[in-house]
């Protein structure tokens, strides 16, 4: 298996622009998570899905952030409009969620820089 | 709700020395416990997990952890570290049958020659 795939790996954009991050989870995994990691705030859970349905989005910073999972093999995290304080590494992770296997498999991350 | 406290933000150690990274958790219900490692510029990867059974759990790269229910701890240990173990280590907890985990703030392990 190729693992969790994220694209792009790096994104540099100007303040006010729309940013879309993409994630392909491991096939057969029921859970998908979006995290943000910064030096100041550490690793933050933004939102997670179970069987394509958003379960908890309480970590989404504000209305500028939105996430979708239209099918079991694809998810997006969108920031519109982007701001410099959104600069961070964004991770997608997936988890089997069956047979009590709740460990998470992380993608390589997308490093977002908003200037 | 669960919470996780990693007691040391940074742990410097010399190569071939033993190391212990400390993790305490709080929860009113039964939990699963995990340790993840993050190497520079990479995502997190699972080191080991405790779901049930033996309280001593062995993971990859020679790491092990012991679940102590009375002390609500899940400390990570390695008897002899290598330079390549330099990384950030995260302890995580999740409720039994819950999908998400709560992560600690991380401990940066630096192994010096």
């Amino acid at each position: 298996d190729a693992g969790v795939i994220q694209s792009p790996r790096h994104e540099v954009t100007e303040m006010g622009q729309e940013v879309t991050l993409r994630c392909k989870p491991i096939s057969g995994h029921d859970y998908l998570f979006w995290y943000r990691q910064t030096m100041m705030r550490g690793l933050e859970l933004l939102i997670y899905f179970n069987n394509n349905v958003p379960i908890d989005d309480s970590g989404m910073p504000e209305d500028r952030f939105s996430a979708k999972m239209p099918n079991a093999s694809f998810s997006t995290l969108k920031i519109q409009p982007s701001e410099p304080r959104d600069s961070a590494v964004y991770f997608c992770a997936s988890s089997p969620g069956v047979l009590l296997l709740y460990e998470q498999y992380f993608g390589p991350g997308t490093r977002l820089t908003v200037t | 709700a669960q919470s996780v406290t990693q007691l040391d933000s940074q742990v410097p150690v010399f190569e071939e020395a033993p190391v212990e990274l400390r993790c305490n958790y709080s929860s009113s219900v039964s939990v699963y416990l995990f340790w993840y490692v993050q190497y520079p510029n990479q995502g997190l990867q699972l080191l080991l997990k405790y779901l049930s059974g033996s309280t001593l759990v062995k993971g990859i790269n020679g790491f092990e952890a012991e679940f102590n229910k009375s002390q609500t701890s899940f400390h990570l240990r390695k008897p002899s570290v290598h330079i390549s173990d330099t990384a950030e280590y995260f302890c995580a907890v999740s409720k039994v049958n819950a999908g998400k985990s709560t992560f600690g703030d991380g401990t940066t392990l630096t192994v010096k020659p």
Side-chain angles (χ1 to χ4, degrees), chain B residues 28-101:
Chain B
S28 57
V29 298
S30 296
V31 297
Y32 300 140
L33 294 156
F34 308 88
W35 275 100
Y36 291 83
V37 60
Q38 184 180 28
Y39 299 106
N41 300 313
Q42 295 186 26
L44 283 70
Q45 56 183 276
L46 183 71
L47 263 182
L48 49 78
K49 63 186 177 187
Y50 172 80
L51 302 182
S52 65
S54 173
T55 57
L56 183 62
V57 180
K58 294 189 183 298
I60 62 172
N61 300 339
F63 284 93
E64 64 181 30
E66 185 159 18
F67 170 57
N68 188 319
K69 188 174 182 179
S70 62
Q71 297 187 6
T72 60
S73 68
F74 191 55
H75 300 334
L76 181 71
R77 302 184 182 101
K78 186 170 183 178
S80 175
V81 294
H82 303 291
I83 298 289
S84 58
D85 292 323
T86 294
E88 188 154 18
Y89 292 79
F90 292 89
C91 181
V93 61
S94 70
K95 288 192 302 184
V96 171
N97 294 329
K100 72 172 186 177
S101 294

Side-chain angles (χ1 to χ4, degrees), chain A residues 8 10 15 27 75 81 98 109:
Chain A
H10 302 273
M15 182 175 62
S27 177
S75 177
V98 297

